[in-house]
Amino acid sequence: IPKTFARAEKCVRNIVQAGAFPVVFGGDDSCPIPIVNAVAGETDGDVGYIHVDSHMDTAEQVGGMKNNHATTVTRAMDNDNVSPENVALVGMNGPLNPPGGREFAEETGSTMRSIWDIDDRGIESVAKEAIEVASDGTDRVVLHTDLDVIDQGFVPGITTPEPAGLTPREALKMMRIFSEGGIDA
């Protein structure tokens, strides 16, 4: 993991230094850690983070490992220029989320919107709020989308599937809103 993270971070740093827009596909759910580290490390100002996932991924560590699939949000906020107030967690649902998710968001000052918030308010409202949160006073925004945010009936073979997620159409609409809203890293 350390070697892979170092290579991934170096690659994304090179892309950002070249003035290009990094787009990273694949890998496990820990991939945002080196990506956010690279973007934050190459940005003089603040960086926002949008985490679209069925799971909050806010653990401090799992089994003694600080860098893993359940710690991505925590590791993003470890960067000095990634303020919790510029972190938006979107799509949380299912029993694998730790108890106290809303409390975590309140305590850190981050924003968490569950699948039920999306149902109540609509995908457009929640996506636009995530953009506002992540881009408020920031120079760049990193968007991470985990496929498990899409209902398990539509995406077979993911590692930690959860029922009652987004439909593929909702996920595509959300990505379109993010791209129109100027997500830039």
Side-chain angles (χ1 to χ4, degrees), residues 71-133:
T71 66
T72 55
V73 173
T74 310
R75 296 292 77 81
M77 292 190 292
D78 284 348
N79 288 283
D80 290 338
N81 57 346
V82 179
S83 169
E85 289 82 15
N86 294 118
V87 173
L89 298 93
V90 179
M92 284 70 242
N93 68 308
L96 293 178
N97 280 295
R102 290 213 188 261
E103 290 82 6
F104 171 88
E106 289 170 9
E107 288 170 10
T108 61
S110 57
T111 299
M112 191 276 285
R113 298 295 176 249
S114 71
I115 196 75
W116 314 117
D117 295 316
I118 293 170
D119 279 352
D120 291 344
R121 294 180 39 206
I123 198 133
E124 189 168 337
S125 171
V126 172
K128 287 182 177 180
E129 178 189 25
I131 293 168
E132 289 173 15
V133 165

Side-chain angles (χ1 to χ4, degrees), residues 41-64:
E42 292 300 322
T43 304
D44 291 331
D46 292 329
V47 174
Y49 180 61
I50 299 175
H51 181 79
V52 182
D53 195 333
S54 283
H55 309 103
M56 292 186 65
D57 295 348
T58 56
E60 180 57 40
Q61 57 84 25
V62 175

